[in-house]
Amino acid sequence: PRLVTVEVDAAHAAVAQNLLIHAGVAHEVDILVGHSEDVLPWAASRLRRRGGRRAVDLVFLDQRGSRYLGDLSVLTKADVLGDGAVVVADNVLKPGAPVFLWSVSSGSWDTQVFSLEEFAMPGVEDWVTVSRYRLPPPRRPPPPPG
């Protein structure tokens, strides 16, 4: 598949699957049903077994902000994020993902924060972050003594 999505609600997954079939692209998408903390480690492992090292180019996080950092850690530790991979996170201000935001604000991440009006809540601010992952530089062996 060219796209993997995780949906916690089986009914939403069924609707999505039917929409994909109708659009003629169901063969390009895997819909995994379950909580991200249960499904992502398995999905990352499966991707690695299929030779998918650094194969992920885009991640969209739109769930409980308290899960964002854990989900991102699974992907980085599995080494499936490609150099320049983009991670878009919704609801970073409300209900909030402060530890995630702190984590993607330095190191291997270039992050922009966008303020926008919360969906269906006029006048309520929320944030979306767009973060670009940069692979750490390769470690060089120490020079030989001499």
Side-chain angles (χ1 to χ4, degrees):
R2 302 187 54 78
L3 176 68
V4 177
T5 182
V6 178
E7 175 55 59
V8 71
D9 186 304
H12 290 169
V15 169
Q17 185 66 41
N18 282 296
L19 289 171
L20 293 167
I21 291 167
H22 181 70
V25 295
H27 63 285
E28 297 284 351
V29 181
D30 273 352
I31 300 175
L32 307 178
V33 180
H35 290 277
S36 62
E37 59 263 32
D38 299 323
V39 175
L40 275 182
W42 175 84
S45 173
R46 186 177 94 175
L47 187 60
R48 288 294 306 259
R49 281 194 310 273
R50 292 182 174 177
R53 184 168 182 256
R54 300 189 181 144
V56 175
D57 296 320
L58 175 68
V59 177
F60 178 63
L61 302 169
D62 186 18
Q63 57 165 331
R64 291 176 290 145
S66 61
R67 284 293 325 143
Y68 289 178
L69 184 58
D71 291 347
L72 191 60
S73 294
V74 167
L75 298 173
T76 55
K77 287 178 184 171
D79 198 25
V80 295
L81 291 179
D83 189 39
V86 174
V87 176
V88 179
D90 194 9
N91 307 312
V92 175
L93 179 61
K94 292 181 174 87
V99 179
F100 166 82
L101 183 56
W102 178 263
S103 178
V104 297
S105 294
S106 62
S108 296
W109 296 98
D110 296 320
T111 298
Q112 292 181 293
V113 179
F114 297 92
S115 174
L116 48 96
E117 193 171 89
E118 180 61 43
F119 175 75
M121 299 178 73
V124 176
E125 179 185 21
D126 197 2
W127 295 347
V128 170
T129 59
V130 178
S131 305
R132 184 171 300 276
Y133 180 66
R134 297 289 177 210
L135 286 172
R139 292 185 180 185
R140 294 183 182 182

